[in-house]
Amino acid sequence: NAGVTQTPKFRVLKTGQSMTLLCAQDMNHEYMYWYRQDPGMGLRLIHYSVGEGTTAKGEVPDGYNVSRLKKQNFLLGLESAAPSQTSVYFCAIRDGSKNTEAFFGQGTRLTVV
Amino acid sequence: GESVGLHLPTLSVQEGDNSIINCAYSNSASDYFIWYKQESGKGPQFIIDIRSNMDKRQGQRVTVLLNKTVKHLSLQIAATQPGDSAVYFCAENFASGGSYIPTFGRGTSLIVHP
């Protein structure tokens, strides 16, 4: 998925640990999104950003924080990981137009034990 | 389509058959819809889109149909190939607070048997 890079690709955390997931884009798109994907649940929006310095809550924001200090980067933080946060996390980007598709990163598989 | 519990709806077809994947969307005000394909271990990728002023759009081997009356989308894949095996999601760009949020259905797993 050219243009959207997520790091790390895999991580195992212990309950209570913290971590930050990084999404970096080189397409100069305004909108960035963090989703989580669980079996049978599709993609659920955690937080999103419509531009540098702005963030907003999505459908499932609890337990996560985000920051968009630079246009090309969108960080997702877990302050105190819980087993319920075991999931695959996807970052997506989109330009500011109404009728355009999203581009996704390859995902981060996070396991909290 | 909708799913219950941990299992996605699954469509199994033979190689060479045509596949039809269905999706219901939620917001009658949405006017842009997209189908994504997600292969195992990868992020979703754009397949085809359609605007609400159309009821059909064709791509290479894929066709999307839109029925706004019943808020229904379908993706038709002609001459399905093993490489088409994946999870397929429909999505709408949902208007929220002046911005547009890609909002996804639960997905359908397509299995193509050689």
Side-chain angles (χ1 to χ4, degrees):
Chain A
N1 295 9
V4 185
T5 303
Q6 290 183 231
T7 53
K9 290 184 171 50
F10 303 93
R11 185 75 185 269
V12 178
L13 283 181
K14 294 182 179 179
T15 298
Q17 287 185 318
S18 63
M19 78 164 293
T20 301
L21 284 68
L22 169 65
C23 177
Q25 58 139 331
D26 61 7
M27 298 176 72
N28 202 36
H29 281 354
E30 292 296 328
Y31 288 18
M32 298 187 76
Y33 310 86
W34 276 108
Y35 292 89
R36 61 177 288 172
Q37 186 174 34
D38 302 296
M41 298 295 290
L43 289 145
R44 292 184 293 168
L45 182 67
I46 304 171
H47 286 278
Y48 65 101
S49 168
V50 301
E52 180 179 323
T54 72
T55 63
K57 293 181 180 180
E59 178 187 355
V60 289
D62 293 343
Y64 305 95
N65 56 75
V66 287
S67 64
R68 182 116 180 252
L69 299 179
K70 295 182 179 180
K71 185 177 181 179
Q72 64 267 35
N73 294 338
F74 194 28
L75 304 176
L76 177 70
L78 287 72
E79 291 184 347
S80 180
S84 61
Q85 293 177 304
T86 294
S87 189
V88 181
Y89 292 85
F90 287 99
C91 175
I93 65 172
R94 207 173 63 81
D95 71 21
S97 304
K98 178 180 176 183
N99 296 331
T100 55
E101 74 274 25
F103 297 90
F104 284 81
Q106 292 276 44
T108 296
R109 183 173 293 275
L110 175 66
T111 303
V112 183
V113 297
Chain B
E2 296 295 322
S3 66
V4 176
L6 300 180
H7 303 290
L8 291 175
T10 299
L11 176 64
S12 288
V13 300
Q14 291 295 128
E15 181 178 0
D17 287 352
N18 296 332
S19 303
I20 300 175
I21 300 171
N22 297 302
C23 175
Y25 63 91
S26 58
N27 185 2
S28 57
S30 292
D31 57 8
Y32 178 68
F33 304 91
I34 315 107
W35 279 99
Y36 292 90
K37 174 186 180 182
Q38 185 179 25
E39 295 176 282
S40 180
K42 297 184 178 180
Q45 287 190 303
F46 170 87
I47 303 174
I48 191 168
D49 58 2
I50 189 168
R51 299 190 183 192
S52 61
N53 61 354
M54 305 171 69
D55 53 19
K56 180 179 180 178
R57 189 162 188 225
Q58 288 184 291
Q60 187 177 16
R61 284 201 306 117
V62 294
T63 300
V64 55
L65 300 178
L66 174 63
N67 185 330
K68 295 182 288 295
T69 302
V70 295
K71 294 190 287 186
H72 183 268
L73 277 166
S74 68
L75 177 71
Q76 300 178 359
I77 304 174
T80 314
Q81 302 169 0
D84 295 326
S85 293
V87 176
Y88 291 81
F89 292 96
C90 65
E92 57 188 301
N93 278 2
F94 189 93
S96 175
S99 58
Y100 292 90
I101 311 297
T103 303
F104 292 79
R106 290 178 183 252
T108 296
S109 177
L110 175 65
I111 299 172
V112 182
H113 300 282

